[in-house]
Amino acid sequence: MTLALSFVRPLAVNAQEKKGDIDFNIGISTPGLYSLADLEYGRNSFFYYDYSNLSDLSKESYNSTLYPSISAELSYKLADAGFLKRLSLVGYMGLHWADYQNISVASDSKDDVETAVKLDLMLGIRYHILNSKYFSMYSQAFLGGEIKNDCEYWDKTGEVVNLGVLGDNDIRWHATFLGLRVKLGKTNVGLLTELGYGSEYCTSSLFIIPGLRAGVSYRF
C-alpha cells in the first residue's frame, strides 16, 4: 500500500501543477470550403448555361441547403517554459452537412432530396500569442483527411475547389488566423471565437474571406 501511494502521489501533484494545459471546446461555425463551393460560379459546377440567350443567362440545375458546421477541438500545451510553452498540439473534428436536390432544367423534373454528410479529422499546432489566466489569444493550423457519405454533392463541390491552388487531392486543411478565449469568472469554463479559412469555416470558396466559429471551452 505504501509503495502504491508513493507512486500515485507524484502523479497527482504533477497533474495539479499542469492544470490548465488541456483545453476542450465545442463550437458552431459557418460552412467550410467544400460546402460553400456549390454557391460559386466556375467550370464543372452545377450550372445550366442557356447560350441561346444573348446575355448567356444561367439557371441553377440543383437546389441545396447548407447548415452550420459543428466541431470540437482538444488541445494540449507542450511545455511550461522555453519556446515550446507557446505551442499546443490540437486535434480537430468537424461535422458538415447539406441537403441536395438535382434538377433537370430541360424536363423540369427533380430527384429526391439527398443529405450530404462529411466528417473532417485533423491534427494541428496552436501558437499562443497571449495566454493569461483570464484571456487567451492564438493562431493555429491543421492538416488531415475526411470521411464522407456517398453523395454526388461532395464530388461536384470538390471538383470546383480543386480547380484552384489546392490541386486534385484528398488533404483537408484549415488555418485559424485569430482565436480569442475569455474565462468566465472563477470557473474553468470560457467562451471563444475564431476567425479563419479552410475546410472547416469560411465565407467564400473563390476568395480568401474568413469565416467565424464560436463555442464554449473547458480547461483541465
Side-chain angles (χ1 to χ4, degrees), residues 24-217:
F24 174 76
N25 69 67
I26 56 175
I28 188 169
S29 66
T30 57
L33 186 61
Y34 287 80
S35 299
L36 286 176
D38 76 329
L39 302 180
E40 312 290 359
Y41 290 85
R43 182 166 59 88
N44 292 336
S45 58
F46 292 126
F47 290 92
Y48 171 81
Y49 294 95
D50 185 358
Y51 290 105
S52 64
N53 292 338
L54 296 178
S55 59
D56 285 348
L57 295 176
S58 64
K59 298 178 181 180
E60 292 183 352
S61 62
Y62 74 108
N63 284 329
S64 67
T65 303
L66 299 181
Y67 299 100
S69 298
I70 299 175
S71 55
E73 291 178 343
L74 179 64
S75 69
Y76 177 75
K77 187 179 176 185
L78 294 179
D80 293 327
F83 175 77
L84 290 180
K85 74 177 181 179
R86 291 187 175 272
L87 299 180
S88 289
L89 185 65
V90 191
Y92 191 102
M93 180 173 64
L95 180 65
H96 315 273
W97 71 92
D99 286 337
Y100 161 78
Q101 184 181 37
N102 205 0
I103 300 172
S104 173
V105 180
S107 62
D108 194 28
S109 62
K110 300 179 180 179
D111 292 344
D112 293 335
V113 176
E114 295 184 69
T115 299
V117 182
K118 183 165 73 78
L119 181 67
D120 289 344
L121 300 171
M122 299 190 294
L123 190 64
I125 290 291
R126 174 180 297 175
Y127 177 77
H128 298 276
I129 303 170
L130 178 64
N131 193 21
S132 65
K133 184 177 181 180
Y134 292 99
F135 179 76
S136 300
M137 182 185 300
Y138 56 89
S139 296
Q140 55 192 11
F142 299 94
L143 283 177
E146 66 180 18
I147 302 171
K148 59 186 177 184
N149 67 336
D150 185 15
C151 182
E152 186 182 15
Y153 178 87
W154 297 122
D155 297 332
K156 293 300 183 181
T157 56
E159 288 177 7
V160 176
V161 175
N162 289 332
L163 289 172
V165 297
L166 296 182
D168 188 9
N169 59 64
D170 294 326
I171 297 175
R172 298 296 168 255
W173 62 272
H174 189 83
T176 301
F177 304 140
L178 183 64
L180 302 173
R181 181 189 185 274
V182 178
K183 183 180 178 182
L184 295 180
K186 296 182 179 181
T187 69
N188 293 331
V189 179
L191 299 179
L192 68 92
T193 182
E194 296 176 349
L195 190 69
Y197 186 88
S199 65
E200 302 314 299
Y201 48 90
C202 60
T203 51
S204 172
S205 68
L206 292 180
F207 307 99
I208 302 179
I209 303 177
L212 185 67
R213 178 176 183 263
V216 178
S217 76

